[in-house]
């Protein structure tokens, strides 16, 4: 046996769906408003994971323009049958108030790396859909049912309906098969058949500090389901576990018959705030004599876990310094809500530079020109160099630490009527706009180097004219507001860092970035 250290996917990687096909393991995770949609990883040893191309990479599959913060792709489910990979996902259009506009889709591919099909629309009755492939060839869609009515519990249970591959639609009646346990907030259903039972694995307790994995079983796919008397199978509620928020799990069986549970977790920095967002961990499981599944070491998540001694997998990795000279963008790059098109981004228009055409404001839910990657370490230094010559205060470009439209920190180059070309810093905290420092005048010509140094929750920003001599911009600031845990409304993404450009005058003035260096 060998040992892994959790989390296995660091930074924003929530809602893992794990799958084995032959000797290959795959994990799909949620991406919410970040494009392209769904993150995919591949491994052959459960220890080393390689990022694959995202499957939802064109607007015909995922149109998120206007989607709310923490909307977009929720809880994908990855499965394999009939020589095809099946990917189910929710596109959450709005989530505020009593309602959830949650549209569920299916795409397929013969190769995990794509191309993936255009989507088949399934339903909109709730979120966290999954697909169960029965031994007789039938296919069944499960999802949680959302009830908006004031007198009812909004998490109304788990429903099932048959999916017809021939007709590419749902057919037959919708049946509620499970209404949850006393923990409540039942979601994220997955079904597994083992030991003559159908096992229904769900998430309960909400996706914060009372989160849990629960299990029920039945001799029939349609129930009734018997609740595991030892539930929850996994939780960090009321513990001092290193991995908090443990829940939303899916199971996989290895080639030698061992079982593992992939689940999300969070690592709080201060005041139970998780700047990195919800991450993915793996726990070893076993079956009891009376046919219930258990996590080794008990229901509290383990940081160090044994995995089978499989042949070592050597993933292909991409450099954390991007000089934008490749034919394609690196797979770790994400945009907000929209595909990479020449309407706003090019990396061959000026040799050796990535060009961002000025987009909408950092509050926009539509067409921001922002390119970012997930933050996966709290001891990180990021640096970029921008060639940008604004002529109005409405034009900005620079280095961003971004959670969502309500919370971000921005070091930028702009123009001021008195200072001329200048460096400034702004932040938005819980939706309140702030400028903690005065704008600093810089020469009209030449590139500008921008840097951020993060140590736990403390971020210090710098600028330089030559990339050698650096001047601090403002004081070190606490960025723990860039987390799931600080808003009045529940939200679900982690912190990203990257580059962006705004032109609020509408002329789309371009900013040219020579590199982006991410160091841990």
């Amino acid at each position: 046996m060998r040992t892994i250290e959790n989390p296995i996917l660091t930074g924003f990687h929530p809602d893992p769906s794990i799958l084995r096909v032959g000797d290959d393991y795959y994990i799909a995770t949620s991406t919410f408003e970040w494009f392209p949609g769904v993150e995919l990883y591949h491994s052959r040893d459960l220890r080393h994971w390689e990022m694959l191309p995202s499957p939802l990479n064109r607007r015909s599959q995922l149109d998120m323009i206007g989607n709310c913060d923490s909307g977009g792709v929720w809880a994908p489910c990855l499965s394999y049958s009939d020589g095809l990979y099946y990917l189910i996902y929710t596109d959450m259009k709005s989530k505020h108030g009593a309602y959830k506009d949650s549209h569920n889709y299916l795409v397929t591919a013969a190769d995990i790396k794509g191309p993936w099909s255009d989507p088949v629309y399934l339903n909109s009755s709730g979120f966290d859909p999954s697909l169960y492939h029965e031994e007789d060839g039938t296919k069944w869609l499960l999802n949680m049912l959302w009830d908006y009515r004031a007198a009812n519990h909004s998490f109304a249970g788990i429903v099932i309906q048959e999916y017809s591959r021939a007709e590419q639609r749902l057919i037959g009646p919708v049946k509620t098969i499970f209404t949850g346990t006393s923990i409540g907030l039942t979601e994220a259903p997955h079904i597994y058949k083992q030991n003559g039972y159908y096992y229904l694995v769900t998430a309960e307790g909400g996706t914060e500090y009372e989160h849990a994995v629960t299990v029920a079983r039945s001799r029939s796919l349609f129930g009734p389901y018997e609740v595991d008397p030892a539930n929850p199978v996994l939780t960090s509620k009321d513990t001092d576990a290193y991995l908090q928020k443990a829940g939303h799990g899916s199971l996989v069986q290895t080639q030698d018959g061992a079982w593992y549970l992939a689940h999300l977790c969070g690592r709080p920095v201060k005041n139970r705030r998780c700047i990195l967002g919800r991450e993915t961990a793996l726990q070893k499981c076993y079956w009891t004599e009376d046919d219930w599944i258990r996590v080794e070491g008990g229901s509290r998540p383990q940081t160090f876990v044994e995995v089978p001694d499989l042949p070592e997998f050597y993933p292909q990795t991409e450099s954390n310094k991007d000089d934008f000279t490749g034919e394609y963008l690196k797979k770790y790059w994400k945009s907000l809500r929209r595909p990479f098109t020449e309407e706003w981004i090019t990396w061959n228009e000026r040799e050796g530079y990535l060009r961002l055409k000025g987009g909408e404001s950092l509050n926009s839910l539509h067409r921001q020109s922002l390119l970012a990657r997930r933050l996966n370490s709290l001891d990180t230094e990021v640096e970029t160099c921008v060639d940008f010559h604004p002529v109005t205060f409405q034009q900005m470009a620079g280095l961003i630490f971004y959670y969502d439209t309500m919370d971000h920190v921005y070091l930028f180059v702009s123009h001021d009527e008195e200072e001329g070309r200048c460096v400034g810093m702004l932040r938005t905290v819980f939706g309140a706009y702030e400028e903690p420092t005065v704008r600093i005048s810089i020469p009209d010509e030449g590139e500008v180097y921008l840097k951020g140094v993060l140590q736990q929750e403390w971020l210090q920003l710098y600028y330089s004219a030559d990339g050698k001599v650096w001047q601090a911009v403002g004081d070190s600031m606490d960025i723990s507001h860039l987390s799931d845990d600080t808003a009045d409304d529940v939200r679900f993404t982690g912190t990203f860092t990257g580059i962006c450009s705004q032109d609020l005058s509408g002329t789309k003035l371009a900013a040219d970035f020579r590199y982006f260096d991410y160091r841990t």
Side-chain angles (χ1 to χ4, degrees):
M1 302 293 285
R2 299 183 181 183
T3 301
I4 60 167
E5 182 177 358
N6 281 317
I8 56 170
L9 301 179
T10 56
F12 166 62
H13 291 99
D15 311 325
S17 172
I18 192 167
L19 170 70
R20 180 177 66 86
V21 179
D23 293 330
D24 296 291
Y25 294 87
Y26 302 102
I27 289 178
T29 65
S30 298
T31 44
F32 294 88
E33 65 262 40
W34 293 97
F35 197 97
V38 178
E39 215 71 278
L40 283 181
Y41 286 86
H42 171 229
S43 177
R44 294 175 69 91
D45 62 6
L46 294 175
R47 298 172 64 232
H48 305 98
W49 294 88
E50 177 182 332
M51 182 181 281
L52 298 180
S54 292
L56 307 179
N57 56 20
R58 55 189 189 271
R59 186 166 290 171
S60 63
Q61 298 169 311
L62 183 64
D63 187 350
M64 296 191 292
I65 298 297
N67 279 27
C68 60
D69 287 336
S70 288
V73 175
W74 285 26
C77 176
L78 187 64
S79 60
Y80 182 81
S81 179
D82 319 312
L84 286 176
Y85 293 92
Y86 290 76
L87 181 68
I88 306 277
Y89 61 97
T90 299
D91 179 9
M92 183 65 73
K93 309 309 286 187
S94 62
K95 67 180 186 67
H96 300 294
Y99 305 106
K100 296 284 186 290
D101 292 304
S102 51
H103 307 319
N104 297 319
Y105 298 93
L106 164 67
V107 292
T108 58
D111 187 328
I112 192 75
K113 295 181 179 180
W116 289 79
S117 69
D118 276 345
V120 173
Y121 171 74
L122 299 171
N123 67 18
S124 301
S125 62
F127 47 87
D128 291 1
S130 70
L131 193 64
Y132 173 68
H133 304 270
E134 183 58 292
E135 294 168 342
D136 64 4
T138 57
K139 302 182 186 304
W140 300 88
L141 181 80
L142 298 97
N143 60 269
M144 67 79 64
L145 181 67
W146 185 261
D147 190 338
Y148 66 88
R149 294 172 294 180
N152 293 3
H153 196 293
S154 53
F155 287 72
I158 304 303
V159 295
I160 192 169
Q161 188 177 11
E162 186 175 358
Y163 172 73
S164 169
R165 183 182 173 191
E167 299 178 52
Q168 292 196 318
R169 66 183 182 93
L170 296 174
I171 59 174
V174 179
K175 181 178 176 62
T176 299
I177 61 171
F178 189 60
T179 56
T181 77
S182 60
I183 297 174
L185 304 177
T186 309
E187 56 187 344
H190 296 285
I191 282 183
Y192 306 89
K193 196 170 185 180
Q194 178 77 0
N195 307 324
Y197 288 100
Y198 294 89
Y199 289 87
L200 176 62
V201 177
T202 59
E204 294 192 298
T207 192
E208 299 178 88
Y209 285 88
E210 296 185 352
H211 207 197
V213 175
T214 56
V215 175
R217 70 184 182 188
S218 173
R219 294 291 186 182
S220 166
L221 178 61
F222 308 104
Y225 279 84
E226 170 194 6
V227 173
D228 188 335
N231 271 335
V233 170
L234 182 73
T235 188
S236 4
K237 179 186 175 184
D238 299 328
T239 76
D240 61 355
Y242 172 63
L243 306 176
Q244 289 291 316
K245 303 185 177 182
H248 200 116
S250 62
L251 291 167
V252 69
Q253 186 179 22
T254 66
Q255 300 94 312
D256 61 0
W259 287 79
Y260 286 84
L261 176 75
H263 66 93
L264 70 77
C265 62
R267 293 180 289 167
V269 180
K270 61 174 286 187
N271 300 331
R272 306 204 333 160
R273 296 180 177 183
C274 301
I275 295 173
L276 299 180
R278 297 170 302 156
E279 305 172 284
T280 288
L282 195 65
Q283 305 295 330
K284 189 176 183 182
C285 300
Y286 66 95
W287 293 94
T288 65
E289 291 183 359
D290 56 349
D291 294 327
W292 289 108
I293 197 162
R294 298 283 179 265
V295 173
E296 280 199 359
S299 61
R300 170 176 166 166
Q302 305 296 307
T303 305
F304 296 94
V305 174
E306 287 189 339
V307 294
D309 192 13
L310 297 168
E312 190 156 1
F313 176 65
Y314 297 97
Q316 296 182 9
T317 59
E318 295 179 305
S319 170
N320 281 322
K321 183 175 183 180
D322 195 344
D323 58 8
F324 305 122
T325 57
E327 185 177 356
Y328 305 101
L329 283 175
K330 296 186 186 301
K331 292 189 289 291
Y332 51 69
W333 286 118
K334 295 287 183 186
S335 69
L336 279 172
R337 297 178 177 84
R338 60 174 174 165
F340 303 125
T341 67
E342 292 189 359
E343 176 188 359
W344 68 278
I345 183 172
T346 64
W347 50 95
N348 51 24
E349 195 168 324
R350 179 183 177 186
E351 186 175 356
Y353 290 82
L354 180 132
R355 174 163 291 175
L356 293 182
K357 300 173 185 178
E360 295 175 348
S361 76
L362 290 169
N363 287 110
S364 175
L365 302 177
H366 294 82
R367 293 172 179 84
Q368 289 200 45
S369 295
L370 189 153
L371 183 73
R373 54 171 295 164
R374 61 183 39 79
L375 193 69
N376 59 17
S377 170
L378 293 173
D379 291 290
T380 302
E381 187 173 306
V382 296
E383 181 184 319
T384 191
C385 176
V386 61
D387 190 7
F388 183 57
H389 300 277
V391 296
T392 168
F393 69 93
Q394 293 183 310
Q395 297 164 337
M396 299 177 286
L399 176 69
I400 189 88
F401 285 79
Y402 185 93
Y403 184 91
D404 64 11
T405 62
M406 302 294 285
D407 285 276
H408 44 262
V409 176
Y410 188 23
L411 176 64
F412 59 87
V413 176
S414 186
H415 175 86
D416 182 82
E417 293 89 339
E418 295 182 0
E419 302 294 340
R421 195 167 71 143
C422 59
V423 169
M425 187 264 283
L426 65 83
R427 64 183 179 189
T428 301
V429 182
F430 311 144
Y433 175 88
E434 302 174 357
E435 290 191 35
T437 66
V438 298
R439 302 191 177 196
I440 304 167
S441 179
I442 59 174
D444 290 337
E445 300 301 322
E447 297 176 330
V448 183
Y449 296 79
L450 305 172
K451 181 165 67 173
V453 178
L454 179 66
Q455 294 178 308
Q456 297 301 297
E457 72 271 28
W458 295 100
L459 174 66
Q460 179 64 63
L461 299 173
Y462 301 87
Y463 84 96
S464 172
D466 59 7
K468 298 176 182 177
V469 179
W470 294 91
Q471 179 176 330
V473 180
D475 297 326
S476 180
M477 71 187 83
D478 183 342
I479 65 163
S480 61
H481 63 102
L482 305 183
S483 73
D484 297 347
D485 315 286
T486 54
D488 292 335
D489 186 28
V490 178
R491 53 188 188 176
F492 306 116
T493 60
T495 301
F496 279 65
T497 183
I499 51 180
C500 57
S501 177
Q502 299 80 33
D503 190 340
L504 308 184
S505 74
T507 61
K508 297 185 178 181
L509 180 69
D512 292 341
F513 293 86
R514 185 149 55 86
Y515 64 84
F516 186 88
D517 194 4
Y518 178 97
R519 302 186 287 267
T520 58

